[in-house]
Amino acid sequence: MVKILLFISLAVVMIAVIVVVIIIYRHSQNSDFDMTPRDRAGQEIEDEEDDEEVIDETAEKPVYEDDLTYDDWNSWEDLLQEAGIIDIRDGMIEYETGNNSRMFIALAEMQQSNPYLKTDDELAQQNAIMEVFFNGVREPLKITSQSQRVEMTDFLNQLKENSQRIIGSNPQMKDYASEVIEDTLNYQRQTDRFENKAYLQFMAVIEPDEVYGDSPEVLEEQIYEKAAEKLFRQIDRANGLLRRADHALAPLASFGLLEVLYKSFNRESSVKMRFEDIVKLQRYQMFSSSLQSDKYFKDVQQRIHIETEAINHARDILLKEQKAKNEALLAKGKDYYQTTATDDNDTNDDVSSAFNIDELNDLN
């Protein structure tokens, strides 16, 4: 019995040692993507001249405007880096992996269909196609949904513009069409209607041995080209099946990716302010995550202080005016607690002399 227990303890110790060694090995393998220049055969390319790296420190220096500075500024890019996002461009989101590879994500919006408008045979065919699609998935796939406000502003504005150029219409017809479309726009602004948007998330991982180039710039271009090739091949293959089930896919460009992130991080404000309007009007300062200059930040603080002081001054002036009215009513033998609007109008002339705008200066 003692020998069995000793054998079991030795086996447990050996398993624990093996697990620790595997964990240490995997941890030691974590590293950034190797950007060493390589040729087509995967051999490293030696640089003929070792140029000294010039570090630009101007971007890290604090901004000095007037007498106010901020060194610890957290921008929107910092938030994305905390979430592991390196860059968003070419219709792809790049994430860091830490295991000497680059991971890219692409989103494709799935077209929706109403199952209540289909027959039983059509529903059975749709379910069969969806089953074939999910059984044939080879790469990592993620499906997410987002409730978004129904937005038809651009379409209605374009329709309103086109209604004024209809051949054969008279001014009365154009005015009527403009009024109808304007009423529809007002109804859309006043009534919030939501619908679910479904997105398919495709992933592609690029390893160092898949790209080659004689400089980091060429390698970077090769990485993005390889990632785009993998991702859009997956989207095209999935769309070939899903469109037969009335769920066609539309890949999102960089603008669409930013819009999805904007609606994800700003659930309430995205209902009132569209992402398109923010870009067109350049109204980035309405968000605390936008980069502000020190001078603008100080101006906002001063405006808040001035508004607070103005409210306090106005309250003091109104109190003094009300006291003057009360004294005038008491001098006439009236109870100011029971005065009517007519009595107040009668005493306006008597009180006007008691209230002077110069008193604002006395309160400063």
Side-chain angles (χ1 to χ4, degrees):
M1 186 65 181
V2 176
K3 293 182 179 180
I4 295 175
L5 294 176
L6 182 61
F7 177 77
I8 294 175
S9 61
L10 290 175
V12 171
V13 172
M14 291 296 296
I15 294 174
V17 172
I18 294 174
V19 171
V20 172
V21 171
I22 293 175
I23 293 175
I24 295 175
Y25 175 77
R26 289 186 176 181
H27 183 72
S28 63
Q29 295 298 315
N30 290 341
S31 61
D32 295 332
F33 193 92
D34 187 6
M35 296 296 292
T36 304
R38 301 176 183 274
D39 56 15
R40 187 182 295 270
Q43 301 295 329
E44 295 185 4
I45 300 177
E46 297 181 358
D47 296 335
E48 297 179 358
E49 297 181 359
D50 295 334
D51 297 334
E52 295 183 358
E53 183 180 1
V54 179
I55 302 176
D56 185 12
E57 299 179 352
T58 57
E60 301 179 356
K61 294 181 179 179
V63 180
Y64 294 95
E65 293 185 10
D66 296 338
D67 57 345
L68 196 61
T69 61
Y70 294 93
D71 297 336
D72 300 330
W73 172 259
N74 295 324
S75 63
W76 173 253
E77 289 79 6
D78 296 334
L79 175 62
L80 295 181
Q81 290 179 2
E82 289 293 333
I85 298 177
I86 298 178
D87 196 6
I88 301 176
R89 69 172 187 176
D90 299 337
M92 297 180 295
I93 304 176
E94 181 182 358
Y95 287 85
E96 58 182 5
T97 62
N99 58 355
N100 196 19
S101 63
R102 304 273 287 271
M103 182 173 67
F104 295 85
I105 301 297
L107 293 181
E109 183 178 350
M110 178 186 291
Q111 179 183 347
Q112 302 298 306
S113 62
N114 192 347
Y116 296 101
L117 301 179
K118 295 185 177 182
T119 63
D120 295 339
D121 295 338
E122 291 174 340
L123 287 176
Q125 181 181 3
Q126 175 181 335
N127 294 333
I129 294 175
M130 297 295 293
E131 183 178 356
V132 171
F133 167 72
F134 286 113
N135 289 335
V137 173
R138 298 180 181 177
E139 302 293 339
L141 180 68
K142 184 178 180 179
I143 301 179
T144 58
S145 63
Q146 190 178 82
S147 179
Q148 297 182 5
R149 184 174 181 265
V150 177
E151 185 59 56
M152 298 180 62
T153 303
D154 294 337
F155 170 75
L156 292 176
N157 287 331
Q158 185 67 28
L159 186 63
K160 183 178 180 181
E161 182 180 352
N162 294 337
S163 66
Q164 305 302 311
R165 297 196 297 265
I166 298 177
I167 300 176
S169 60
N170 52 41
Q172 290 77 12
M173 295 175 59
K174 295 180 180 179
D175 294 340
Y176 180 74
S178 179
E179 292 177 0
V180 171
I181 298 176
E182 189 65 30
D183 292 340
T184 306
L185 284 170
N186 294 331
Y187 175 77
Q188 179 187 250
R189 299 187 188 101
Q190 298 173 2
T191 306
D192 292 335
R193 295 182 297 135
F194 294 87
E195 63 179 356
N196 288 327
K197 296 283 188 179
Y199 299 98
L200 266 63
Q201 178 177 309
F202 299 88
M203 184 181 72
V205 178
I206 307 299
E207 302 292 343
D209 55 357
E210 298 183 58
V211 295
Y212 60 90
D214 55 0
S215 65
E217 292 77 12
V218 176
L219 283 174
E220 191 74 17
E221 183 179 357
Q222 289 276 339
I223 291 171
Y224 272 86
E225 290 180 357
K226 193 71 175 179
E229 179 184 353
K230 287 186 176 182
L231 289 173
F232 291 108
R233 185 188 299 121
Q234 296 179 39
I235 296 176
D236 185 66
R237 187 186 301 115
N239 184 49
L241 273 175
L242 293 177
R243 65 181 179 181
R244 302 176 185 177
D246 295 335
H247 291 297
L249 298 180
L252 298 183
S254 299
F255 185 87
L257 296 175
L258 294 174
E259 184 179 19
V260 171
L261 289 176
Y262 163 69
K263 292 180 178 179
S264 300
F265 284 97
N266 304 275
R267 298 297 298 166
E268 296 182 0
S269 59
S270 62
V271 177
K272 302 176 182 179
M273 176 63 69
R274 299 187 310 160
F275 185 69
E276 297 91 330
D277 296 335
I278 295 177
V279 176
K280 292 178 182 178
L281 302 176
Q282 297 292 299
R283 299 185 62 182
Y284 303 113
Q285 292 178 341
M286 65 184 297
F287 296 98
S288 59
S289 59
S290 63
L291 183 59
Q292 311 291 343
S293 65
D294 299 332
K295 184 176 182 299
Y296 179 82
F297 190 85
K298 182 176 180 180
D299 291 341
V300 172
Q301 285 186 325
Q302 290 178 346
R303 287 173 180 268
I304 295 175
H305 178 72
I306 291 173
E307 183 176 356
T308 304
E309 292 295 327
I311 293 174
N312 295 333
H313 289 347
R315 182 181 62 249
D316 295 338
I317 293 297
L318 291 176
L319 287 175
K320 294 183 67 174
E321 179 184 359
Q322 186 62 47
K323 290 180 180 180
K325 288 183 180 181
N326 296 342
E327 293 175 358
L329 291 172
L330 290 174
K332 294 182 179 181
K334 297 181 179 181
D335 187 359
Y336 60 85
Y337 288 107
Q338 299 178 357
T339 56
T340 61
T342 305
D343 296 334
D344 291 340
N345 294 332
D346 295 339
T347 59
N348 283 338
D349 296 336
D350 298 336
V351 179
S352 60
S353 60
F355 175 71
N356 192 345
I357 194 64
D358 295 335
E359 296 179 358
L360 285 171
N361 298 326
D362 300 335
L363 296 174
N364 292 333

